[in-house]
Amino acid sequence: MAPVIPPPLTPSFLRLSYPAPGVLLVTMNRGENLNCMNRTAQVEMDAVWRWLDEEPTLLVAVITGAGDKAFSAGADLKEWNQSMSSSGADGSRYNGMSSAQAFKPLSRRLGKKPVIAAVNGLALGAGTEFIVNCDLVVAAEHAYFGLPEVKRGVAPIGGCLPRLIRTIGLQRASELALTGRNVSAQEALAWGLVNKVVSREEVVQEAVRYASLIAENSPDSIICTRAGLRQGWETAAVERAVDITLEREFAALQKGENIREGLRSFTEKRHPKWTPSKL
């Protein structure tokens, strides 16, 4: 069934399809760059999730990445480095976007309708932030997760930190976020970050199967039930916690030297040389 309301744009980063009744499949289509998120991706993501909530024929979405190497490697650090290096940039904006705009499309999405992640490879940085805020997560056996931001002088500030604590607990969240190490699909399953692990050939199919089970139900009940789940999980303190950290610590981080050094060293393919923190 074709959507009643057409998509808000003709995406270049995202590929949209409809694999089952009531199901939207969103594919991050930048496989040659490990589906990392640039400015175009942020704008398209925001528009598509808003459209999902408005489109009456769609009840649930599945998000995955093109290819079988990566779900998403996170933010486009080369683009970010260029933005930080541009004339007059003070670090308070990401490629012309405020922090709230840049990090909101999925990792901070509230929305009305559920989104299921089909993790078809590595999910790093924003990729992991996305799945923390998805309603269900299906992972391929070869997938792994990580928050390597501390290794590049930035921070996983898109909303996942307070949510991650609620999902896997303080100690595991601290291990993931402070060490920057990668976690396998099986370990993520044991931690409760993933619903199911399947073969790489089955990951999208299994996510669509979950989506179809949801789409069989009352649209009103889906929205109402999800709202109840989210209200219990989120509470008002989560978004306030994100905002406070964005406004204070992350604003200060973006004005410091270590973020510039981290992004430069990534672009130059060398180890970063950190300076003492002034936060």
Side-chain angles (χ1 to χ4, degrees), residues 71 86 105 107 151 190 263 275 277-278:
F71 173 73
S86 64
S107 60
K151 295 180 179 295
L263 295 170
T275 57
S277 174
K278 296 181 180 179

PDB file of all heavy atoms in Angstrom, residues 71 86 105 107 151 190 263 275 277-278:
ATOM      1  N   PHE A  71      26.282  -0.975  10.315  1.00  0.00           N
ATOM      2  CA  PHE A  71      24.985  -0.336  10.554  1.00  0.00           C
ATOM      3  C   PHE A  71      25.211   1.166  10.419  1.00  0.00           C
ATOM      4  O   PHE A  71      24.664   1.811   9.548  1.00  0.00           O
ATOM      5  CB  PHE A  71      24.501  -0.715  11.951  1.00  0.00           C
ATOM      6  CG  PHE A  71      23.252  -0.006  12.401  1.00  0.00           C
ATOM      7  CD1 PHE A  71      22.020  -0.334  11.863  1.00  0.00           C
ATOM      8  CD2 PHE A  71      23.318   0.967  13.387  1.00  0.00           C
ATOM      9  CE1 PHE A  71      20.867   0.315  12.294  1.00  0.00           C
ATOM     10  CE2 PHE A  71      22.178   1.618  13.821  1.00  0.00           C
ATOM     11  CZ  PHE A  71      20.944   1.288  13.275  1.00  0.00           C
ATOM     12  N   SER A  86      36.912  25.497  10.090  1.00  0.00           N
ATOM     13  CA  SER A  86      36.487  26.593   9.223  1.00  0.00           C
ATOM     14  C   SER A  86      36.727  27.934   9.894  1.00  0.00           C
ATOM     15  O   SER A  86      36.792  28.044  11.112  1.00  0.00           O
ATOM     16  CB  SER A  86      35.015  26.447   8.849  1.00  0.00           C
ATOM     17  OG  SER A  86      34.210  26.543  10.006  1.00  0.00           O
ATOM     18  N   PRO A 105      17.956  13.567  15.582  1.00  0.00           N
ATOM     19  CA  PRO A 105      17.101  12.802  14.689  1.00  0.00           C
ATOM     20  C   PRO A 105      16.680  11.404  15.141  1.00  0.00           C
ATOM     21  O   PRO A 105      15.538  11.046  14.997  1.00  0.00           O
ATOM     22  CB  PRO A 105      17.915  12.735  13.405  1.00  0.00           C
ATOM     23  CG  PRO A 105      18.649  14.015  13.395  1.00  0.00           C
ATOM     24  CD  PRO A 105      19.013  14.257  14.833  1.00  0.00           C
ATOM     25  N   SER A 107      18.769   9.427  17.958  1.00  0.00           N
ATOM     26  CA  SER A 107      19.258   9.135  19.305  1.00  0.00           C
ATOM     27  C   SER A 107      18.455   9.866  20.386  1.00  0.00           C
ATOM     28  O   SER A 107      18.390   9.421  21.523  1.00  0.00           O
ATOM     29  CB  SER A 107      20.742   9.478  19.426  1.00  0.00           C
ATOM     30  OG  SER A 107      20.956  10.845  19.158  1.00  0.00           O
ATOM     31  N   LYS A 151      37.951   8.357  22.646  1.00  0.00           N
ATOM     32  CA  LYS A 151      39.219   8.168  21.941  1.00  0.00           C
ATOM     33  C   LYS A 151      39.478   9.261  20.906  1.00  0.00           C
ATOM     34  O   LYS A 151      40.566   9.355  20.363  1.00  0.00           O
ATOM     35  CB  LYS A 151      39.224   6.799  21.248  1.00  0.00           C
ATOM     36  CG  LYS A 151      39.172   5.602  22.203  1.00  0.00           C
ATOM     37  CD  LYS A 151      39.188   4.301  21.431  1.00  0.00           C
ATOM     38  CE  LYS A 151      39.160   3.100  22.351  1.00  0.00           C
ATOM     39  NZ  LYS A 151      40.364   2.981  23.186  1.00  0.00           N
ATOM     40  N   ALA A 190      23.519 -10.433  26.066  1.00  0.00           N
ATOM     41  CA  ALA A 190      23.566 -10.790  27.479  1.00  0.00           C
ATOM     42  C   ALA A 190      23.316  -9.579  28.377  1.00  0.00           C
ATOM     43  O   ALA A 190      22.743  -9.707  29.463  1.00  0.00           O
ATOM     44  CB  ALA A 190      24.914 -11.431  27.810  1.00  0.00           C
ATOM     45  N   LEU A 263      39.739  15.186  16.217  1.00  0.00           N
ATOM     46  CA  LEU A 263      39.226  15.183  14.850  1.00  0.00           C
ATOM     47  C   LEU A 263      40.352  15.309  13.822  1.00  0.00           C
ATOM     48  O   LEU A 263      40.349  14.648  12.783  1.00  0.00           O
ATOM     49  CB  LEU A 263      38.211  16.314  14.675  1.00  0.00           C
ATOM     50  CG  LEU A 263      36.928  16.176  15.518  1.00  0.00           C
ATOM     51  CD1 LEU A 263      36.109  17.447  15.456  1.00  0.00           C
ATOM     52  CD2 LEU A 263      36.110  14.974  15.065  1.00  0.00           C
ATOM     53  N   THR A 275      45.669  17.127  25.555  1.00  0.00           N
ATOM     54  CA  THR A 275      46.138  18.139  26.513  1.00  0.00           C
ATOM     55  C   THR A 275      45.277  18.029  27.763  1.00  0.00           C
ATOM     56  O   THR A 275      44.154  17.531  27.712  1.00  0.00           O
ATOM     57  CB  THR A 275      46.021  19.555  25.908  1.00  0.00           C
ATOM     58  OG1 THR A 275      44.658  19.792  25.516  1.00  0.00           O
ATOM     59  CG2 THR A 275      46.917  19.682  24.690  1.00  0.00           C
ATOM     60  N   SER A 277      42.629  18.485  30.611  1.00  0.00           N
ATOM     61  CA  SER A 277      41.265  19.007  30.499  1.00  0.00           C
ATOM     62  C   SER A 277      41.113  20.333  31.246  1.00  0.00           C
ATOM     63  O   SER A 277      41.666  20.519  32.326  1.00  0.00           O
ATOM     64  CB  SER A 277      40.259  17.999  31.075  1.00  0.00           C
ATOM     65  OG  SER A 277      38.961  18.536  31.091  1.00  0.00           O
ATOM     66  N   LYS A 278      40.329  21.237  30.651  1.00  0.00           N
ATOM     67  CA  LYS A 278      39.994  22.485  31.296  1.00  0.00           C
ATOM     68  C   LYS A 278      38.499  22.572  31.635  1.00  0.00           C
ATOM     69  O   LYS A 278      37.989  23.621  31.993  1.00  0.00           O
ATOM     70  CB  LYS A 278      40.396  23.661  30.409  1.00  0.00           C
ATOM     71  CG  LYS A 278      41.899  23.751  30.186  1.00  0.00           C
ATOM     72  CD  LYS A 278      42.263  24.949  29.306  1.00  0.00           C
ATOM     73  CE  LYS A 278      43.766  25.017  29.097  1.00  0.00           C
ATOM     74  NZ  LYS A 278      44.156  26.160  28.211  1.00  0.00           N
TER      75      LYS A 278
END
